[in-house]
Amino acid sequence: MNPMKSPIKLSYLLAVAAFVAGCGGTSSQASAIGAATLSITWPDQSRLIPVAANSITVAFLNGSTTVASQTVARPSSGNQSTLSFTGLPATSLTLTAKAYPTTDGTGTAQASASQAITIVSGSTTSATLTMASTIAALSVSPTSLSLSAGNTGTLTLSAKDSSGATVITSDSTMTWTSSDTSVATVSSSGVVTAVAGGSATISVTDSESGKSASASVAVTSTGGATVTVK
């Protein structure tokens, strides 16, 4: 796959190094805080990428709560940017990154990714998010859904490169399909709607790499509340 083909998936390499120090006089991680430095290498612009993203918003989440967030714009010269974070809690966090066409992180995100990262007191934790590297594998979670007719469930897509790093993707390059739309349908973002009793296979395929993944759906005819599976 030629990564320059896509106007959405860009060759950003986001390397996160979390430097964590415990609070003096205590070994409790609950009170420990740390810091993180994010280095970003931007891809060269060319006629092959006419709609390149011009900013990235990076955030650290503790559950659904954002504990730190910054937006960095594409530099006017060179291809290197650095973000520094302080006051991060020493616990398991979620690192997210979103690419935008504007320089201030506004508008519709062109691509996004997330990855778990554990901040450990007194040690250094690192993680990597990659845009536009070759996708080696796709996976969806959960791999099976059990829904009542009329209910919905959400399948979460994950793309990895050959090193196991998360690849940032866009909905525009992913195609979701159902093997039997009379049983269950699926939206362009992986939301499955149960239609009638039976079973179906939900598949997703990346148009550039050709990689695909699937999940099974079992639908019962009884009704119930809407269920979201994450």
Side-chain angles (χ1 to χ4, degrees):
M1 181 190 73
N2 182 357
M4 301 300 288
K5 289 170 55 181
S6 170
I8 300 298
K9 294 160 62 180
L10 308 176
S11 305
Y12 301 129
L13 176 62
L14 301 107
V16 180
F19 305 95
V20 183
C23 295
T26 178
S27 61
S28 173
Q29 288 193 354
S31 60
I33 59 174
T37 299
L38 177 68
S39 298
I40 301 173
T41 300
W42 298 81
D44 294 333
Q45 290 179 311
S46 74
R47 291 179 300 173
L48 298 178
I49 309 179
V51 189
N54 288 299
S55 65
I56 300 173
T57 296
V58 179
F60 288 89
L61 281 67
N62 190 350
S64 59
T65 302
T66 299
V67 297
S69 177
Q70 292 188 49
T71 297
V72 59
R74 176 187 288 274
S76 57
S77 62
N79 64 346
Q80 299 292 322
S81 299
T82 301
L83 290 178
S84 296
F85 293 85
T86 59
L88 296 177
T91 186
S92 295
L93 302 177
T94 300
L95 169 66
T96 66
K98 293 184 178 181
Y100 294 90
T102 59
T103 59
D104 59 359
T106 59
T108 301
Q110 294 178 305
S112 63
S114 63
Q115 180 172 318
I117 179 170
T118 301
I119 308 301
V120 180
S121 181
S123 67
T124 299
T125 303
S126 62
T128 301
L129 294 175
T130 304
M131 282 177 154
S133 61
T134 301
I135 293 176
L138 293 180
S139 63
V140 292
S141 178
T143 56
S144 62
L145 286 175
S146 295
L147 300 171
S148 298
N151 290 355
T152 63
T154 301
L155 295 176
T156 302
L157 171 67
S158 177
K160 302 287 185 179
D161 65 14
S162 59
S163 70
T166 300
V167 179
I168 296 181
T169 62
S170 171
D171 286 347
S172 66
T173 65
M174 298 295 166
T175 300
W176 293 84
T177 59
S178 170
S179 64
D180 191 341
T181 55
S182 68
V183 173
T185 61
V186 62
S187 72
S188 60
S189 58
V191 177
V192 179
T193 300
V195 178
S199 60
T201 299
I202 303 299
S203 300
V204 59
T205 301
D206 172 41
S207 61
E208 289 195 342
S209 68
K211 301 298 182 180
S212 61
S214 62
S216 60
V217 178
V219 178
T220 58
S221 58
T222 57
T226 297
V227 177
T228 300
V229 182
K230 293 184 178 180

